[in-house]
Amino acid sequence: MKALIINCTLKPSPQFSNTGALAQKAERQLRENGITAEIIRLVDYNIKPGTEADMGNGDEWPAILDKLKAANIFIIATPVWMGHLASTAQHVIERLDSIFHDEQFADKETGQYITYNKVAGCLITGNEDGAHSCAAQVLWAMQELGFTIPPNVNAYWVGMAGGEQYFYTYYTMRWMIANLTYFAKLLKDNPITSNLKKLKEMAEKERD
Amino acid sequence: MKALIINCTLKPSPQFSNTGALAQKAERQLRENGITAEIIRLVDYNIKPGTEADMGNGDEWPAILDKLKAANIFIIATPVWMGHLASTAQHVIERLDSIFHDEQFADKETGQYITYNKVAGCLITGNEDGAHSCAAQVLWAMQELGFTIPPNVNAYWVGMAGGEQYFYTYYTMRWMIANLTYFAKLLKDNPITSNLKKLKEMAEKERD
Amino acid sequence: MKALIINCTLKPSPQFSNTGALAQKAERQLRENGITAEIIRLVDYNIKPGTEADMGNGDEWPAILDKLKAANIFIIATPVWMGHLASTAQHVIERLDSIFHDEQFADKETGQYITYNKVAGCLITGNEDGAHSCAAQVLWAMQELGFTIPPNVNAYWVGMAGGEQYFYTYYTMRWMIANLTYFAKLLKDNPITSNLKKLKEMAEKERD
Amino acid sequence: MKALIINCTLKPSPQFSNTGALAQKAERQLRENGITAEIIRLVDYNIKPGTEADMGNGDEWPAILDKLKAANIFIIATPVWMGHLASTAQHVIERLDSIFHDEQFADKETGQYITYNKVAGCLITGNEDGAHSCAAQVLWAMQELGFTIPPNVNAYWVGMAGGEQYFYTYYTMRWMIANLTYFAKLLKDNPITSNLKKLKEMAEKERD
């Protein structure tokens, strides 16, 4: 079982990233659950703007997409800027848009996207406000892209660290990692059976 | 297996409700899958403002909450107003807030909310724009409240009905109902094992 | 010069409302600026669901709408619930929707809504997160409805009161009240000249 | 009088950009009103990630910031991706964050940001849904950064062009340009008088 965490901090390596610190904590807990997690810091790569799987010209997104294909668990870790998810996190979502329109990402038999049977969650950091709004956008997009969203799979660290806030972040992260792990295993053993192609054909008949 | 659909139209019965029409379509598909669905039109009930399970004074929310407890699948069907989910849908979310702070809704052993092992989706109607934003808010809140969000569990009908738009609504609804059904059965047979209480205790130790 | 503040707390009078406390602070500062402000606690009134100016059956919205017509400054004060503006605040926005489709609210000559030359702002309270998202929804809707949004016209009080957070709320409220006052006077002396009807006719010709 | 429009399309020049086409239409209308508008296509520039005014290493943002300083009207034109404003538009917002924390952007006497007395609006394109949500995020952020938001300053073009939708886009754009022009002139002749520094000092005393 594998997990991919994309750290969407705006700061390139080797600068310290709060979002990265939260991602590392998640990585340790995943490892305790027997899951190997890789953390990618997006700004360290040359990711082209666009909505295709490969935008060419040295685009380094395809290699990250390969890691996503191999993963059971996908986590977007993003800072909040102006009440909103970071441009880098939105960049990831845009690059995943190809899953909708590129045939290579849909099963020929069932029409299921490659994301079916994978689970997603998110981690958020910020200096004050916006965690819920960011989580809503990330998790909705993941659901739309074909990921399953288990209960309580967002943890955030907003404002000053320490004290009560610290505790809240820590136990919600433990809930998140436990539920992501449970569902990743559940879907590995029980792949989703919905045949999206046939269902679409049934809907086609309703048009008449 | 049971489903509860809350129709959050602003129009009381017996007025025609577009959101209700979409809900009825979902109800028929659930029935085809062997699931009994009940549709509640919220504005027909006396639902008090507040965030407790029972606000007293003739509050009719507790009876709806009982139906939710008995359901495996929960669907919020809402119109969009000014790019936003209807006040009635937000009212439902506020009334569910008691799940977080009222001990009767958490399992004594595991701390799991009563929503664990239930799945949620949403239906949206509107005259032009805002479906994605509404879906994001509804599904994020459901996830936060303990529901599982299967892939592709929102369908909407925005703008003029008919033609291509019609088809899009119809096949996304079929995907939604198929995935909600699959996950409701999966979780019935394989209840989530995460012990939220123990995980919280583990996090408590990290504070030191 | 007059101001109308709608307190969208979920708690009926005479319960203590944090949102009401923030509204009262704004009211005092407006008075210092020579502006008479009235605070309405929405849940104390019988406001029907719907999007018309008068929903009948004892609907008490028309009286509030009259106060809005007489006001130069309009402030929505709302708590945050589940990262979202309260159902009561969304209820206010829905009831204002009639401004778009009811001819009585548009000037016969210019097509300007009755909200033109009025300014709007918002106040937000909550126990943790969501102020920016709520402010974005409220201010966008107000702008769409024809209000002018001066710079820095949202103040919020999220999480524990006291200390730095307290200070932040206080000075942003002072900026808000100063800017609302400045613009209300400016627009009273310099009413907007845009003729929306003629501009619409010009656009009509572009269709060909 | 000058306007700056940033086209946040994901497509580099010379590819055709729908957002660019809408921006050009706005530019023509601004010119008819005697305002010189420049359109910048963001992806054609080397804009570094970050929240400082100048991120170094060949960062081309400072030159764009100079254009913004000289402009009376600022328009963000963005496509919608996954119900959300483009990563490029969020990138612009992040780069403007320096206005909050870099002293060079605040007037020494009044504390007013350089954006005071400037007005902002937005243009949005997309293949189906999300215009309102994007407009809310953009306009809220602009208001927070110190811009004034006149009434009805967002126009969008979502889904298929032509017919009624086309007309809606065209007349809302005319309203937008007329109101941006009116307010830009109004603020040029009547600069905002609020002394943010003094107001902050008054709030400081309230802490005790």
Side-chain angles (χ1 to χ4, degrees):
Chain A
M1 302 270 288
K2 284 183 183 173
L4 175 66
I5 305 176
I6 300 188
N7 173 9
C8 299
T9 176
L10 302 182
K11 298 176 203 153
S13 295
Q15 286 183 57
F16 178 78
S17 153
N18 287 303
T19 312
L22 208 59
Q24 279 164 18
K25 197 169 174 64
E27 185 271 334
R28 282 193 297 275
Q29 289 184 19
L30 284 162
R31 209 189 319 137
E32 284 167 26
N33 288 356
I35 294 165
T36 311
E38 183 174 356
I39 303 174
I40 295 273
R41 192 188 281 220
L42 199 79
V43 286
D44 290 344
Y45 296 84
N46 180 10
I47 310 296
K48 301 290 180 192
T51 58
E52 301 303 324
D54 186 345
M55 299 302 296
N57 294 313
D59 184 14
E60 295 183 312
W61 176 252
I64 296 176
L65 201 50
D66 282 342
K67 290 175 197 290
L68 177 60
K69 281 180 199 166
N72 306 88
I73 296 173
F74 180 49
I75 296 172
I76 287 185
T78 181
V80 187
W81 287 106
M82 295 288 281
H84 223 57
L85 71 171
S87 55
T88 33
Q90 174 65 11
H91 197 172
V92 169
I93 292 171
E94 287 163 1
R95 294 307 303 270
L96 291 172
D97 194 83
S98 61
I99 289 172
F100 291 131
H101 59 260
D102 191 333
E103 284 193 358
Q104 66 170 301
F105 298 120
D107 185 85
K108 284 202 171 52
E109 188 75 20
T110 64
Q112 287 185 7
Y113 304 132
I114 50 156
T115 46
Y116 266 62
N117 303 314
K118 298 185 193 299
V119 300
C122 67
L123 294 171
I124 292 163
T125 58
N127 41 3
E128 47 144 353
D129 186 274
H132 292 186
S133 174
C134 290
Q137 166 63 6
V138 169
L139 296 180
W140 173 79
M142 294 304 111
Q143 168 270 154
E144 199 74 1
L145 284 161
F147 291 91
T148 292
I149 314 299
N152 303 122
V153 287
N154 60 136
Y156 55 90
W157 197 346
V158 175
M160 295 297 112
E164 277 308 311
Q165 182 59 30
Y166 199 65
F167 175 51
Y168 180 74
T169 304
Y170 282 6
Y171 79 73
T172 52
M173 186 189 283
R174 286 202 171 267
W175 292 8
M176 169 178 168
I177 299 301
N179 287 344
L180 285 172
T181 303
Y182 179 80
F183 274 82
K185 285 180 184 158
L186 188 63
L187 289 173
K188 201 182 174 200
D189 294 340
N190 305 273
I192 303 170
T193 54
S194 308
N195 188 315
L196 307 186
K197 274 196 168 177
K198 282 197 184 153
L199 291 162
K200 206 166 176 176
E201 285 164 20
M202 289 170 76
E204 181 76 30
K205 285 173 200 149
E206 293 178 74
R207 299 171 81 181
D208 307 321
Chain B
M1 302 269 289
K2 285 183 182 173
L4 175 67
I5 305 176
I6 301 189
N7 173 8
C8 297
T9 176
L10 302 182
K11 299 176 202 153
S13 295
Q15 287 183 57
F16 178 77
S17 153
N18 287 303
T19 312
L22 207 59
Q24 279 164 21
K25 195 169 176 63
E27 186 270 332
R28 282 194 298 276
Q29 289 184 19
L30 284 162
R31 210 190 316 137
E32 285 167 25
N33 288 355
I35 294 165
T36 312
E38 183 173 357
I39 302 174
I40 296 273
R41 193 188 281 219
L42 198 81
V43 286
D44 289 345
Y45 296 82
N46 180 10
I47 311 295
K48 301 291 182 193
T51 57
E52 299 303 323
D54 187 344
M55 299 300 298
N57 295 311
D59 184 14
E60 295 182 313
W61 177 253
I64 296 176
L65 201 49
D66 282 343
K67 291 176 196 293
L68 177 60
K69 282 180 199 165
N72 305 87
I73 296 172
F74 180 49
I75 295 172
I76 288 187
T78 182
V80 187
W81 287 106
M82 296 288 281
H84 222 59
L85 70 172
S87 55
T88 34
Q90 174 64 12
H91 197 173
V92 169
I93 291 171
E94 286 163 2
R95 293 307 302 268
L96 291 172
D97 193 83
S98 61
I99 289 172
F100 291 129
H101 59 259
D102 191 332
E103 284 193 359
Q104 67 171 301
F105 300 120
D107 186 84
K108 284 203 173 51
E109 188 75 20
T110 64
Q112 287 185 5
Y113 304 131
I114 49 155
T115 46
Y116 265 62
N117 303 314
K118 297 184 195 299
V119 300
C122 67
L123 294 170
I124 293 163
T125 59
N127 40 4
E128 45 144 352
D129 185 275
H132 291 186
S133 173
C134 291
Q137 166 63 7
V138 169
L139 296 180
W140 174 79
M142 294 305 111
Q143 169 269 153
E144 198 75 0
L145 284 160
F147 291 92
T148 292
I149 314 300
N152 303 120
V153 288
N154 59 137
Y156 54 90
W157 198 347
V158 174
M160 295 297 113
E164 278 306 313
Q165 182 58 33
Y166 200 64
F167 174 50
Y168 179 74
T169 305
Y170 282 7
Y171 79 71
T172 52
M173 188 190 281
R174 286 201 173 267
W175 291 8
M176 169 179 167
I177 300 301
N179 288 343
L180 285 171
T181 303
Y182 179 81
F183 274 83
K185 285 180 183 160
L186 187 63
L187 289 172
K188 201 182 175 201
D189 294 339
N190 305 274
I192 302 171
T193 53
S194 309
N195 189 314
L196 307 185
K197 273 196 168 178
K198 282 197 185 153
L199 290 162
K200 205 165 176 175
E201 285 164 20
M202 288 168 77
E204 181 76 31
K205 285 171 201 152
E206 294 178 72
R207 300 171 80 182
D208 305 323
Chain C
M1 302 271 288
K2 283 183 182 175
L4 174 66
I5 305 176
I6 301 189
N7 173 7
C8 298
T9 175
L10 302 182
K11 298 177 202 153
S13 295
Q15 287 182 57
F16 177 78
S17 154
N18 288 302
T19 312
L22 207 59
Q24 279 163 19
K25 195 168 175 63
E27 186 271 333
R28 282 193 299 275
Q29 290 184 18
L30 284 162
R31 208 189 318 136
E32 284 166 25
N33 288 355
I35 295 164
T36 312
E38 182 174 356
I39 302 174
I40 296 273
R41 194 188 281 220
L42 198 80
V43 286
D44 290 344
Y45 295 83
N46 181 10
I47 310 295
K48 302 290 182 192
T51 58
E52 300 303 323
D54 187 344
M55 299 301 298
N57 294 311
D59 184 14
E60 295 183 312
W61 177 252
I64 297 175
L65 201 50
D66 282 343
K67 291 176 196 292
L68 176 60
K69 281 181 201 167
N72 306 87
I73 295 173
F74 180 48
I75 296 172
I76 288 185
T78 181
V80 187
W81 287 107
M82 296 287 282
H84 223 59
L85 69 172
S87 55
T88 33
Q90 174 64 12
H91 197 173
V92 169
I93 291 171
E94 287 163 2
R95 293 308 302 271
L96 291 172
D97 193 83
S98 61
I99 289 171
F100 291 129
H101 58 261
D102 192 333
E103 284 192 359
Q104 67 172 300
F105 298 121
D107 184 85
K108 282 201 175 51
E109 188 75 19
T110 63
Q112 287 185 6
Y113 304 131
I114 48 156
T115 45
Y116 265 62
N117 303 314
K118 297 184 193 297
V119 299
C122 67
L123 294 170
I124 293 163
T125 58
N127 41 3
E128 46 145 352
D129 185 274
H132 292 187
S133 174
C134 290
Q137 166 62 7
V138 169
L139 296 180
W140 173 79
M142 294 305 111
Q143 167 270 154
E144 198 75 0
L145 284 160
F147 292 91
T148 292
I149 314 300
N152 303 121
V153 288
N154 59 138
Y156 55 90
W157 197 346
V158 175
M160 294 298 113
E164 279 308 311
Q165 182 58 34
Y166 200 64
F167 174 51
Y168 179 74
T169 305
Y170 282 6
Y171 78 72
T172 52
M173 187 189 282
R174 287 204 171 263
W175 292 7
M176 170 179 166
I177 299 302
N179 288 343
L180 285 172
T181 303
Y182 179 80
F183 274 82
K185 285 180 183 158
L186 187 63
L187 289 172
K188 201 182 175 201
D189 294 339
N190 305 274
I192 302 171
T193 53
S194 309
N195 188 314
L196 307 186
K197 272 195 170 181
K198 281 197 186 155
L199 290 162
K200 206 166 176 176
E201 284 164 21
M202 287 169 76
E204 181 76 29
K205 284 172 201 154
E206 295 177 72
R207 300 171 79 182
D208 306 323
Chain D
M1 301 269 289
K2 284 184 183 173
L4 175 66
I5 305 176
I6 300 188
N7 173 7
C8 298
T9 176
L10 302 183
K11 298 177 203 154
S13 295
Q15 286 184 58
F16 177 78
S17 153
N18 287 302
T19 312
L22 208 59
Q24 280 163 18
K25 199 172 172 60
E27 186 270 334
R28 281 193 298 276
Q29 291 185 18
L30 284 163
R31 209 189 320 137
E32 284 167 26
N33 288 355
I35 294 165
T36 312
E38 182 174 356
I39 303 174
I40 295 273
R41 192 188 282 218
L42 198 79
V43 286
D44 290 344
Y45 296 83
N46 181 10
I47 310 295
K48 301 290 181 193
T51 58
E52 300 303 323
D54 186 345
M55 299 301 297
N57 293 311
D59 184 15
E60 295 183 311
W61 177 252
I64 297 176
L65 201 51
D66 281 342
K67 291 174 196 293
L68 177 60
K69 281 181 200 166
N72 306 87
I73 296 174
F74 180 49
I75 296 172
I76 288 185
T78 181
V80 186
W81 287 107
M82 296 288 282
H84 223 59
L85 71 172
S87 55
T88 33
Q90 174 64 13
H91 196 171
V92 169
I93 292 171
E94 287 163 3
R95 293 307 302 270
L96 291 172
D97 193 84
S98 62
I99 289 172
F100 291 130
H101 59 261
D102 191 332
E103 285 192 357
Q104 66 171 298
F105 300 120
D107 185 85
K108 285 201 170 53
E109 187 76 20
T110 64
Q112 288 185 5
Y113 303 132
I114 49 157
T115 46
Y116 266 62
N117 304 314
K118 297 184 195 298
V119 299
C122 67
L123 295 171
I124 293 163
T125 58
N127 41 4
E128 48 144 352
D129 186 273
H132 292 187
S133 173
C134 290
Q137 167 63 9
V138 169
L139 296 181
W140 173 79
M142 293 305 110
Q143 169 270 153
E144 199 74 0
L145 284 160
F147 292 91
T148 291
I149 315 298
N152 304 122
V153 287
N154 59 136
Y156 54 90
W157 199 348
V158 175
M160 294 298 112
E164 278 307 313
Q165 183 59 34
Y166 200 64
F167 174 51
Y168 179 74
T169 305
Y170 282 7
Y171 79 72
T172 51
M173 188 191 281
R174 286 201 173 268
W175 292 8
M176 169 179 167
I177 300 300
N179 288 343
L180 285 172
T181 303
Y182 179 80
F183 274 82
K185 285 180 184 159
L186 188 63
L187 289 172
K188 201 182 174 200
D189 294 340
N190 304 273
I192 302 171
T193 54
S194 309
N195 189 314
L196 307 186
K197 273 195 167 178
K198 282 198 185 154
L199 291 162
K200 207 166 175 176
E201 284 165 21
M202 289 169 76
E204 181 76 30
K205 285 171 201 152
E206 295 178 72
R207 300 170 80 182
D208 307 324

